[in-house]
Amino acid sequence: VTAVIDGYNISVYETDNRTYSIEPTRNGSLTVTVTLANNQYMTREVQVEDVDREAPKLISTRQEHGSLYLSVTDNASGIYYEGIYALNAEGQRTLPLSWDADTGCIEFLCPRATMDIYIPDECGNQLQLVVSITQKDKPLRTLNIESRELVMEL
């Protein structure tokens, strides 16, 4: 059994006696060929759609009443809200104060020092936000937010 999507070989796994599994890693035209011991073969082609290879996206941020609000979106599998967390420089894990799956808004306590926020989607792709403070002396801290996307390797 062989599988190819648009010229790229795809791994085929035998999950049971004469039962095979294919995990497409991209969208495109999937061609599967089954060859028997006597060299007879059959080939089938199907279109693969909706393979999620994109991390969530940051839309906007705001600070209000000691909280940092992040607005995020993921147009494919959706945000995995239960998996969202932040790590400070010492590696201490912090969970969001709240989130609203309908609006994509996530609330964290406004950080006092640099922290990394991790926002995964349902497929394991992840948005990492590095939040650092550029002005500590003012009542409303000035934050710098750097965005990094981590995409699951299939």
Side-chain angles (χ1 to χ4, degrees), residues 11-148:
S11 297
V12 178
Y13 306 97
E14 187 169 6
T15 57
D16 201 359
N17 188 26
R18 293 186 231 163
T19 302
Y20 298 87
S21 175
I22 300 168
E23 297 176 3
T25 56
R26 64 183 72 230
N27 296 320
S29 179
L30 171 66
T31 304
V32 177
T33 303
V34 177
T35 305
L36 303 176
N38 64 2
N39 286 329
Q40 289 183 330
Y41 66 92
M42 179 166 286
T43 299
R44 292 285 188 254
E45 188 172 305
V46 295
Q47 280 302 118
V48 175
E49 299 173 348
D50 299 324
V51 173
D52 184 358
R53 301 279 298 156
E54 291 188 23
K57 303 276 187 250
L58 178 65
I59 298 171
S60 65
T61 64
R62 67 181 163 83
Q63 292 180 68
E64 192 174 289
H65 307 295
S67 289
L68 170 62
Y69 294 90
L70 307 168
S71 181
V72 296
T73 188
D74 186 277
N75 293 329
S77 63
I79 304 290
Y80 176 51
Y81 287 94
E82 292 80 9
I84 298 171
Y85 66 96
L87 290 177
N88 66 15
E90 289 79 39
Q92 294 172 315
R93 189 179 178 114
T94 304
L95 297 177
L97 297 175
S98 68
W99 70 78
D100 183 337
D102 292 332
T103 64
C105 186
I106 304 162
E107 177 188 8
F108 277 94
L109 209 56
C110 201
R112 298 183 184 278
T114 298
M115 72 176 183
D116 292 351
I117 299 174
Y118 298 90
I119 304 168
D121 69 12
E122 294 287 347
C123 286
N125 304 310
Q126 189 167 257
L127 173 63
Q128 177 186 1
L129 302 173
V130 180
V131 181
S132 56
I133 301 168
T134 56
Q135 287 186 349
K136 298 180 183 181
D137 301 334
K138 296 191 175 183
L140 187 61
R141 294 181 181 97
T142 303
L143 301 178
N144 180 48
I145 300 178
E146 179 186 332
S147 177
R148 298 178 186 156

